[in-house]
């Protein structure tokens, strides 16, 4: 990541909650932007004070019309049901710079919905995840019909400051939402369940969490670093008549694979409906 595309940018983050703050912190930590080139909007006075104090950037409780006219990129990070209202306000302001970019991270809100609300505006839809908070996130970007390479480059720099970035056609974004957007929650549940097992057989819970989470990290890195199929890696640790195969067959009895795969399918269906609520 070189971040060159952000050097000249002024960015407004509309909705500085969990994800909005993660992105602001990532960009600042990566040294890609200075505080004076960032501003944010929240709804409540409590968040306004907390985030202003913590991040040292101007935080507003309504769209700041003076700032809009100076802003190159708007990062829309409100809950999905608020996005169209925010876009309508941006349009009504009549202050958008020509070529200003809108990047939305809202699940289920389509590029078409955003382009209808803001005709002719370059749009990028992004789906990050919460490990962005520790700069270990995954983001998938999809470009709208007016987005050019320089717009995608800006979005790449923003999200690379908090993790890894891929670009896909928008038709995949509900699936991405279900896999990597919601994915950390599935992993936490599996982690907790394995730790429960460890506690049941006598390990202290804090040790159990450390052992399981480090095992998950190591196994994920094995998949990434070796490029081997997970089934091959699984077979390599499964000794005939050993304890690993005992555990694996117990998991298969509980239909673990189809349960996890169907969960992703169900989450994809839900994600597709979020922009309409
Ligand atoms: N969390 C995830 O795992 C995740 C992953 C990928 C994508 N997303 C997407 O990220 C978006 C934000 O999720 P989140 O978890 O960060 O939500 P969140 O923590 O609830 O943050 C929402 C933020 O929006 C602010 N807000 C509310 N109404 C507003 C308005 N009218 N104008 C401007 N700001 C307003 C809230 O202000 P207050 O703090 O004052 O209430 C809050 O700062 C969602 O669209 C979600 O689909 C989330």
């Amino acid at each position: 990541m070189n971040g060159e595309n952000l050097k000249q940018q002024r960015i407004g983050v509309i909705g500085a909650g969990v994800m909005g703050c993660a992105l602001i912190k990532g960009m600042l930590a990566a040294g890609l932007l200075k505080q004076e080139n960032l501003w944010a909007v929240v709804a409540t006075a409590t968040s306004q004070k907390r985030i202003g104090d913590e991040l040292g950037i101007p935080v507003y409780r309504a769209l700041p019309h003076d700032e809009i006219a100076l802003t190159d990129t708007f990062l829309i990070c409100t809950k999905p049901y608020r996005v169209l209202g925010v876009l309508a306000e941006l349009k009504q302001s009549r202050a958008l710079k020509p070529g200003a970019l809108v990047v939305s991270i809202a699940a289920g809100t389509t590029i078409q919905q955003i382009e209808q609300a803001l005709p002719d505006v370059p749009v990028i839809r992004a789906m990050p995840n919460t490990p962005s908070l520790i700069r270990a996130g995954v983001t998938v970007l999809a470009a709208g019909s007016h987005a050019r390479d320089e717009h995608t480059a800006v979005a790449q720099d923003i999200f690379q400051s908090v993790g890894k970035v891929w670009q896909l056609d928008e038709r995949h974004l509900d699936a991405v939402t279900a896999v990597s957007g919601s994915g950390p929650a599935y992993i936490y549940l599996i982690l907790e369940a394995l730790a429960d097992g460890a506690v049941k057989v006598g390990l202290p819970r804090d040790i159990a969490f450390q052992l399981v989470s480090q095992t998950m990290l190591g196994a994920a890195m094995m998949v990434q670093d070796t490029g081997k199929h997970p089934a091959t890696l699984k077979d390599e640790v499964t000794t005939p008549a050993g304890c690993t195969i005992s555990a694996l067959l117990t998991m298969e009895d509980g239909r673990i694979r189809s349960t996890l795969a169907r969960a992703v399918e169900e989450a994809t269906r839900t994600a597709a409906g979020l922009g309409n609520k």
Side-chain angles (χ1 to χ4, degrees):
M1 180 185 69
N2 60 27
E4 282 303 312
N5 304 291
L6 293 190
K7 292 255 161 74
Q8 306 302 322
Q9 288 272 311
R10 188 165 179 79
I11 298 185
V13 179
I14 304 178
V18 173
M19 292 306 301
C21 281
L23 293 171
I24 295 170
K25 285 179 192 167
M27 288 186 281
L28 290 173
L32 299 180
L33 271 182
K34 297 203 172 95
Q35 276 142 319
E36 59 260 34
N37 287 327
L38 271 163
W39 55 268
V41 183
V42 294
T44 60
T46 320
S47 295
Q48 183 184 31
K49 172 149 183 25
R50 180 177 46 81
I51 293 160
D53 289 349
E54 189 186 350
L55 302 178
I57 62 171
V59 181
Y60 305 96
R61 287 182 60 202
L63 279 183
H65 283 218
D66 295 350
E67 295 273 25
I68 290 174
L70 301 171
T71 296
D72 304 291
T73 295
F74 297 87
L75 257 177
I76 315 285
C77 304
T78 61
K79 291 291 188 196
Y81 71 95
R82 292 198 191 276
V83 171
L84 295 182
V86 167
L87 299 177
E89 268 191 74
L90 277 176
K91 187 172 184 204
Q92 279 157 16
S93 76
R94 295 176 186 277
L96 280 185
K97 265 187 177 182
L101 169 66
V102 168
V103 179
S104 165
I105 68 163
T109 306
T110 63
I111 289 172
Q112 190 188 23
Q113 286 174 302
I114 302 170
E115 288 182 342
Q116 263 169 10
L118 291 173
D120 303 325
V121 170
V123 172
I124 306 258
R125 193 175 154 197
M127 181 45 57
N129 66 6
T130 49
S132 301
L133 283 166
I134 55 162
R135 305 181 70 198
V138 166
T139 302
V140 174
L141 304 176
S145 52
H146 308 295
R148 296 190 302 271
D149 287 351
E150 66 257 36
H151 300 119
T152 307
V154 166
Q156 291 261 7
D157 277 359
I158 292 172
F159 292 97
Q160 274 176 7
S161 75
V162 291
K164 295 189 176 175
V165 179
W166 281 267
Q167 194 174 344
L168 290 177
D169 189 275
E170 193 197 15
R171 71 195 157 88
H172 295 301
L173 277 207
D174 293 328
V176 169
T177 305
V179 174
S180 51
S182 302
Y186 317 154
I187 305 297
Y188 301 140
L189 185 134
I190 295 166
L191 194 160
E192 189 195 8
L194 292 174
D196 277 347
V199 170
K200 172 73 177 139
V201 292
L203 287 176
R205 188 165 288 277
D206 57 337
I207 298 287
F209 283 145
Q210 297 295 336
L211 295 184
V212 176
S213 59
Q214 185 56 38
T215 301
M216 281 182 160
L217 267 177
M221 286 172 69
M222 285 288 283
V223 172
Q224 290 194 351
D225 289 0
T226 65
K228 288 184 183 175
H229 192 289
T232 305
L233 291 166
K234 178 208 70 176
D235 287 353
E236 284 172 4
V237 290
T238 309
T239 317
C243 57
T244 309
I245 191 66
S246 300
L248 290 171
L249 291 185
T250 305
M251 291 179 190
E252 298 287 11
D253 288 346
R255 300 175 63 190
I256 190 167
R257 281 175 207 250
S258 63
T259 301
L260 293 173
R262 293 282 181 217
V264 170
E265 189 183 24
E266 189 56 33
T268 304
R269 259 195 293 277
T270 306
L274 288 177
N276 304 318
K277 285 187 179 154

